[in-house]
Amino acid sequence: LTGGIGCGKSTVAAMMREFGCHVIEADPMAHKLIEPGQAAFQEVIRAFGPEILHADGRVDRAKLGAMVFADMDKLLRLNAIVHPRVLKELERQFSEFACANSGGVAVVEAALLVEAGYVKHLDRLVVAWCKPEQQRERLQARGMSREQIEQRLAAQMPLEEKRRRADDVVDCSVSLEETHAQVERLVGKLKQL
């Protein structure tokens, strides 16, 4: 499950969970990997310098984000450090889930599912989407500046391209009730598959 930032993928993931899917959130997994003592922490510090650290020694994700979203080469470097480790953890969790629930539906929720190449390891691609103006309004409501919004959008594959690659889409430009109904139908379809 993917979609552009602010398009509703977390809402769709919560709904899929409600309908019995096992949802694995890849983005928090990536965040954890850059914490002190975790797999990618030292490599991220070597790549981006100690200026990305809080006084307590933890990575300041806002500083790191500002740095990498302003420079595509730096974003690619960060992704090269983090994404292979996330993929390894996803594979571990899928194996555990398959052993415990061979007939269930497991879903990976990730903003960069396609961009990171995770999609080739999955059976289907579901894309949550909304209208571009809604996406920007939602991001502004989160407190992001126009510049931050444009940097984040530029770092992601265009939403229309993700939709073209999708096996299934969920329209999040409609009411929550309508989105909920779409997700219910989608999960029913996935369970049949």
Side-chain angles (χ1 to χ4, degrees):
L1 169 64
T2 194
I5 183 173
C7 283
K9 73 183 165 306
S10 296
T11 299
V12 171
M15 291 175 183
M16 293 182 89
R17 191 177 285 116
E18 173 189 331
F19 289 118
C21 295
H22 176 69
V23 177
I24 303 169
E25 298 173 347
D27 296 341
M29 188 183 296
H31 299 160
K32 185 177 180 183
L33 285 167
I34 64 171
E35 290 179 2
Q38 296 298 316
F41 178 75
Q42 289 299 330
E43 194 171 348
V44 168
I45 302 310
R46 280 193 300 275
F48 301 102
E51 62 270 14
I52 64 165
L53 295 176
H54 282 291
D56 67 2
R58 296 177 57 232
V59 172
D60 182 332
R61 289 191 13 243
K63 283 183 185 174
L64 180 60
M67 181 184 291
V68 301
F69 287 112
D71 183 331
M72 189 56 71
D73 288 336
K74 289 180 180 179
L75 180 60
L76 292 172
R77 174 91 171 112
L78 178 63
N79 290 344
I81 294 168
V82 175
H83 288 170
R85 291 172 169 101
V86 170
L87 183 56
K88 185 176 178 180
E89 178 60 16
L90 288 174
E91 290 171 356
R92 187 191 67 73
Q93 288 192 28
F94 275 137
S95 293
E96 280 182 10
F97 178 74
C99 290
N101 189 354
S102 62
V105 175
V107 178
V108 175
E109 176 202 351
L112 301 178
L113 198 60
V114 177
E115 295 89 334
Y118 298 156
V119 72
K120 66 185 171 199
H121 300 276
L122 305 172
D123 296 319
R124 298 184 70 78
L125 178 63
V126 178
V127 174
W129 70 277
C130 67
K131 296 173 185 166
E133 59 272 15
Q134 288 174 307
Q135 184 180 22
R136 284 175 172 80
E137 286 170 11
R138 291 172 183 178
L139 296 173
Q140 283 180 330
R142 291 183 191 175
M144 294 177 80
S145 70
R146 285 193 173 132
E147 181 182 1
Q148 289 171 319
I149 291 168
E150 296 311 317
Q151 286 177 338
R152 299 304 194 280
L153 294 176
Q156 294 184 354
M157 178 181 290
L159 196 50
E160 283 306 312
E161 177 61 23
K162 285 184 181 184
R163 286 180 63 188
R164 276 193 291 278
R165 294 176 183 221
D167 296 296
D168 302 283
V169 295
V170 178
D171 181 354
C172 297
S173 67
V174 295
S175 71
L176 278 175
E177 293 78 18
E178 291 172 286
T179 300
H180 195 266
Q182 291 176 69
V183 173
E184 185 175 19
R185 287 190 300 272
L186 172 62
V187 171
K189 174 183 172 179
L190 294 175
K191 287 180 177 181
Q192 286 181 343
L193 292 174

